[in-house]
Amino acid sequence: MSNGVKNKMSKDNSSKSQELDQYTASVLQNGISRRSFLTRAAIGTGGLAVAGLGVGTASATTAPVVVGEQFGEVGGATVSFLPKPIAIADADIASTQTFDVIVVGAGASGVPAALSAREAGASVACLQKQAFAVSQGNTGSGVDLKTSDKSAVEALVNRLMADNQHRSHPGLIRKWAYNSGEAVSWTIDRIKQGGGQVEDQGTEPQHGIHGIADKGDRLNFVTSFCGPKPYTTGDGMRALAKTAEKAGVKFFYNTPAKQLIQDKSGKVLGVIAQTRDGKYHKFMAKKGVILSSGDYQNNKAMCDFFIPDLKNFERKQQDRTGDGFAMAYWAGGVIEPVGHTKMLHDFDAGPASMCDMPFLVVNRDGKRFVNETVEMSLMNNYLKDEHNAGHYSQVFDADYMTQAKDWPGHLYSPEELKNYMPEEPGEKKGVFPSIANTYKADTLEELAKKLECDPKNFVATVKRYNELCKKGKDEDFGKKASRMVPVLKPPFYGIHRRMRISTICSGILVNENHQVLDADGKEIPGLFIVGNLGGGFYGGVDYPLTVFGLSLGRCYTFGYLAGKYVAGLKA
Amino acid sequence: MKKLTVIMLSLAMSIIAGSVMAKGDQLLDQTHFEKGIKCASCHGNAEPREAVTMMKCVQCHNTEKLAKKTQDMQPTNVHNNRHFGTESDCLSCHHVHQTSENACVSCHPRWGFKVP
Ligand SMILES: Cc1cc2nc3c(=O)[nH]c(=O)nc-3n(C[C@H](O)[C@H](O)[C@H](O)COP(=O)(O)OP(=O)(O)OC[C@H]3O[C@@H](n4cnc5c(N)ncnc54)[C@H](O)[C@@H]3O)c2cc1C
């Protein structure tokens, strides 16, 4: 490990270097920024071959390097996903408006940020790429501080750090832990004011938290639920936008932000956005710009670069092209290094509460491939190839209600399962009918066809699995005997799950006030980031499901906090 | 220019063949041509020809009215959906000189819309 950061820090910013936490120091050293390119490229003239050598050995004095005219560069290579802002002449600006705060993106973090800034007295504009507020999911959570012990909250922080393979910023996790109860309750209240369909489910849905708090310690939650499906947080955010609009937030729909406006010192002064007629508009911010434009799952080059594992998976969202990444990068921000955290789920094909039940599981070839106690949220790691592309099926027989009754999770009866079966007539309730994907059949061959896997292999797999069940020893994958239940009695059931990309949750380096830091670790005046575009909150290979609804809970919380914070700055 | 010739030629051919061709298989360039719509209504008069964006389509097709017109579509009204409301990019489904496509099917595999 090089000591490059320390050197650089003590040279550029000696007073700050002492305060830098491990997370921030590491992202400054390894992250992607314009500055990291300049220093790395300066190491040698030979380009790629030497660029990989220890960054720390390079002196910080940068030889003049020709930066690509159009794109950002990493290690000497041009990266198409970081297009340099084009020059837009003042003559081409159709209108200019000034607000205290400009929020970019009306999703799970942006709408709360806009409303909270407005409630704190700021004038606010929210620019939105799509035709209305858009977001996904149902559940967003926070810690109920009033009914939790501090030692338990700290134990939760510790657990989330471990979930994140210890790569996240504990300060940001604490920021969520100690503010989320208030923020999520506020969000629920304001969604209701807008006529939205939302409730606080408390600690009940939080099955993953058992055993975290020490004996006798209390750990409780505010769990907001926008639903049931097909109602989602998207609808919830549209209700929240109504409340915000009433409070005076100005929304500009079909108006994607294109670039940031900065002065010579690097201070961010505003945003240039484009309407559908091709015209450009300036939105000047007296106090600050909050970027909340979400992830980059629809930007293929960017995904290939930061998470090559995603190559073959389908996406769940549209229009998430990582616009905020390019904007923050060119403003001097630092993107977390390669190895971003992904979220691939399917809670819709069958009951969510059965997704982690360790029934027999087969891939598209009809073959067993894993110890089925691996959670649904991690299954994608076994299905990265082009052929399987995230598809697998859970399989069980007519006796599942008795055989699996002691397993963790919650079983749906055969009657209830019909709600998830496209072949069953009648109206479906509480599900997305078009993506529900559960099947029933009287023979194994027939079931295999419905699950779109090879019938011959499938029958052989079931035969082998039944033998292992009988033996009580899983010699193929080491699953415990108590989880080995045979597939013998018709009708047979299958839930065909498709792991698709829900979101990517790594982003740009920010401090605990959600302010963007430059490559020297210094705050960029006027620039803030919330939601999945913000870094430091995750770090593992996959998003953790310990706290159900952590992602939306963090988005609401940081939106709420950042809105208030920026509104409180001097104009 | 080759593309242009192909378009002109195939348009002329299909007009001759028009009466025998089922309307469902017709490309949108012919549908528009039949209604007397000029190339310039979409592409503008400038040279080189402007690329056509959704803005052009909605100058003639009011999205609210369109959504009303197709409100009974089963299983769902593509022109008013939960992702983009009435403002989906027309060109993600409708093509003009090529066969149109169903932009929902990749994520909603059982929705077999036939896009004119
Ligand atoms: C199907 C599904 C289910 C999920 N379920 C859950 C759940 O139950 N619980 C949970 O915690 N998490 C869930 N998630 C994850 C959660 O939805 C996201 O983490 C969260 O929405 C991220 O919020 P965000 O504000 O960062 O981005 P988003 O909510 O995606 O909002 C970003 C917004 O920015 C806009 N935008 C993009 N570019 C620009 C631009 N250039 N200018 C202006 N606007 C722009 C977009 O149109 C979008 O509306 C789910 C995700 C999916 C896909």
Side-chain angles (χ1 to χ4, degrees):
Chain A
M1 194 40 130
S2 77
N3 56 359
V5 166
K6 249 207 248 134
N7 284 344
K8 221 164 27 181
M9 286 296 117
S10 51
K11 235 184 221 163
D12 300 353
N13 201 352
S14 48
S15 63
K16 270 233 155 123
S17 67
Q18 306 305 320
E19 305 158 21
L20 275 189
D21 60 280
Q22 293 274 325
Y23 167 80
T24 305
S26 152
V27 175
L28 287 175
Q29 177 170 313
N30 302 318
I32 311 290
S33 69
R34 297 182 62 195
R35 155 73 174 275
S36 67
F37 158 63
L38 291 172
T39 32
R40 275 169 216 180
I43 295 165
T45 46
L48 267 179
V50 277
L53 294 174
V55 180
T57 56
S59 78
T61 54
T62 52
V65 175
V66 184
V67 179
E69 248 181 311
Q70 305 273 310
F71 301 107
E73 305 203 8
V74 178
T78 301
V79 285
S80 61
F81 54 80
L82 294 171
K84 185 178 180 178
I86 52 162
I88 299 171
D90 272 350
D92 293 328
I93 301 289
S95 76
T96 300
Q97 299 185 59
T98 304
F99 296 83
D100 289 329
V101 180
I102 309 293
V103 177
V104 173
S109 57
V111 183
L115 176 57
S116 140
R118 180 73 197 123
E119 287 187 4
S123 61
V124 182
C126 182
L127 314 180
Q128 166 64 344
K129 188 177 195 174
Q130 292 170 276
F132 39 56
V134 176
S135 195
Q136 286 80 22
N138 305 90
T139 302
S141 313
V143 177
D144 187 16
L145 285 184
K146 290 189 303 296
T147 58
S148 300
D149 293 303
K150 184 146 191 298
S151 47
V153 178
E154 284 301 320
L156 176 62
V157 171
N158 179 57
R159 170 61 187 272
L160 289 174
M161 284 302 293
D163 286 347
N164 293 338
Q165 269 115 8
H166 307 282
R167 288 175 80 224
S168 41
H169 187 334
L172 286 169
I173 308 254
R174 288 201 173 86
K175 199 87 190 181
W176 167 79
Y178 289 101
N179 295 282
S180 50
E182 177 188 328
V184 175
S185 300
W186 173 85
T187 307
I188 292 173
D189 179 72
R190 300 307 191 271
I191 290 176
K192 278 187 183 155
Q193 282 181 27
Q197 195 173 303
V198 64
E199 58 171 329
D200 176 6
Q201 297 183 323
T203 310
E204 218 214 280
Q206 302 294 348
H207 301 292
I209 58 140
H210 297 299
I212 291 178
D214 208 354
K215 247 205 216 113
D217 272 6
R218 298 167 310 156
L219 182 59
N220 286 295
F221 289 81
V222 179
T223 303
S224 67
F225 177 75
C226 290
K229 288 168 185 176
Y231 196 91
T232 67
T233 295
D235 302 290
M237 288 304 110
R238 290 189 275 281
L240 194 65
K242 267 192 201 150
T243 307
E245 204 150 9
K246 249 192 220 149
V249 173
K250 292 266 273 175
F251 285 90
F252 296 85
Y253 295 112
N254 290 313
T255 309
K258 290 287 170 182
Q259 50 182 266
L260 295 169
I261 307 166
Q262 272 177 300
D263 68 11
K264 283 238 165 58
S265 76
K267 182 179 178 193
V268 172
L269 305 175
V271 180
I272 298 179
Q274 190 174 29
T275 39
R276 282 198 297 186
D277 53 12
K279 295 204 168 103
Y280 292 108
H281 305 265
K282 261 189 188 167
F283 293 87
M284 305 305 286
K286 285 196 274 188
K287 297 185 170 181
V289 172
I290 303 176
L291 298 178
S292 51
S293 50
D295 71 36
Y296 57 86
Q297 62 175 274
N298 304 115
N299 187 329
K300 190 177 180 309
M302 198 164 169
C303 289
D304 287 352
F305 182 84
F306 284 106
I307 320 186
D309 282 1
L310 288 183
K311 247 171 219 148
N312 293 316
F313 293 101
E314 296 165 87
R315 271 65 180 160
K316 281 196 192 176
Q317 301 190 43
Q318 302 168 74
D319 258 9
R320 298 297 185 280
T321 40
D323 309 2
F325 283 84
M327 286 190 269
Y329 169 88
W330 284 103
V334 186
I335 307 176
E336 287 182 296
V338 170
H340 285 184
T341 302
K342 55 189 158 67
M343 182 200 287
L344 290 99
H345 295 162
D346 182 348
F347 287 113
D348 296 312
S353 64
M354 288 171 72
C355 69
D356 285 342
M357 288 186 147
F359 297 113
L360 167 67
V361 154
V362 297
N363 61 16
R364 270 184 158 169
D365 288 328
K367 291 185 178 158
R368 206 175 164 217
F369 62 95
V370 72
N371 179 321
E372 291 88 349
T373 53
V374 169
E375 292 88 342
M376 179 273 284
S377 59
L378 306 179
M379 215 48 114
N380 71 84
N381 295 300
Y382 295 84
L383 301 160
K384 287 185 289 208
D385 60 292
E386 204 174 339
H387 173 57
N388 285 302
H391 287 247
Y392 72 91
S393 294
Q394 294 178 282
V395 177
F396 41 93
D397 76 1
D399 287 335
Y400 73 98
M401 289 299 284
T402 46
Q403 299 260 30
K405 73 174 188 307
D406 296 327
W407 291 1
H410 171 77
L411 288 168
Y412 277 51
S413 69
E415 198 50 38
E416 291 168 322
L417 271 189
K418 284 187 182 160
N419 209 20
Y420 292 87
M421 295 182 176
E423 294 176 337
E424 289 291 328
E427 208 196 324
K428 307 280 195 282
K429 285 233 168 70
V431 301
F432 294 121
S434 70
I435 45 189
N437 221 10
T438 300
Y439 299 89
K440 186 169 87 172
D442 287 327
T443 66
L444 290 172
E445 287 84 354
E446 203 190 326
L447 185 66
K449 275 183 214 129
K450 291 181 178 181
L451 299 176
E452 294 170 11
C453 63
D454 183 87
K456 241 168 96 194
N457 288 344
F458 182 72
V459 171
T461 299
V462 171
K463 183 163 170 268
R464 168 74 182 155
Y465 186 68
N466 288 344
E467 282 165 19
L468 294 171
C469 291
K470 202 164 168 196
K471 225 174 177 177
K473 300 264 175 231
D474 182 6
E475 287 164 358
D476 293 350
F477 292 96
K479 191 164 67 170
K480 291 217 167 76
S482 64
R483 301 293 185 254
M484 297 290 289
V485 304
V487 180
L488 295 167
K489 191 170 146 192
F492 303 110
Y493 295 90
I495 303 175
H496 178 168
R497 297 198 188 264
R498 298 189 284 164
M499 297 307 108
R500 298 184 291 159
I501 304 166
S502 297
T503 194
I504 296 168
C505 34
S506 296
I508 308 280
L509 178 65
V510 292
N511 67 14
E512 288 169 44
N513 293 321
H514 317 284
Q515 188 154 6
V516 180
L517 301 181
D518 69 13
D520 293 325
K522 284 198 271 221
E523 294 175 348
I524 299 179
L527 189 59
F528 300 81
I529 287 183
V530 291
N532 284 335
L533 179 60
F537 201 76
Y538 302 97
V541 173
D542 289 281
Y543 167 82
L545 274 179
T546 304
V547 173
F548 198 59
L550 180 66
S551 177
L552 286 172
R554 174 247 195 168
C555 288
Y556 301 159
T557 305
F558 287 5
Y560 171 76
L561 293 173
K564 247 205 294 207
Y565 181 81
V566 179
L569 296 173
K570 278 206 295 286
Chain B
M1 270 302 108
K2 187 151 164 258
K3 236 179 183 164
L4 176 60
T5 326
V6 174
I7 286 172
M8 296 299 250
L9 202 73
S10 59
L11 253 184
M13 302 272 286
S14 60
I15 284 154
I16 299 161
S19 50
V20 277
M21 211 161 142
K23 188 166 183 279
D25 299 327
Q26 183 171 300
L27 295 180
L28 279 183
D29 53 7
Q30 195 186 342
T31 313
H32 286 92
F33 189 88
E34 283 171 5
K35 297 285 170 186
I37 288 158
K38 304 265 170 342
C39 314
S41 309
C42 285
H43 287 287
N45 286 312
E47 278 296 332
R49 187 184 301 109
E50 284 170 38
V52 182
T53 67
M54 172 181 175
M55 281 305 290
K56 277 279 160 16
C57 317
V58 299
Q59 277 168 12
C60 295
H61 298 284
N62 177 299
T63 53
E64 305 280 332
K65 280 191 196 144
L66 176 64
K68 266 225 181 89
K69 199 167 175 194
T70 57
Q71 67 187 354
D72 295 327
M73 253 182 102
Q74 286 304 326
T76 193
N77 182 4
V78 288
H79 296 121
N80 189 0
N81 64 69
R82 67 183 289 113
H83 306 297
F84 299 96
T86 56
E87 307 305 310
S88 295
D89 186 350
C90 321
L91 297 166
S92 67
C93 289
H94 296 292
H95 300 304
V96 175
H97 310 291
Q98 303 153 34
T99 313
S100 294
E101 64 181 310
N102 171 0
C104 315
V105 77
S106 58
C107 296
H108 303 283
R110 289 188 294 272
W111 284 350
F113 302 120
K114 197 156 179 344
V115 184

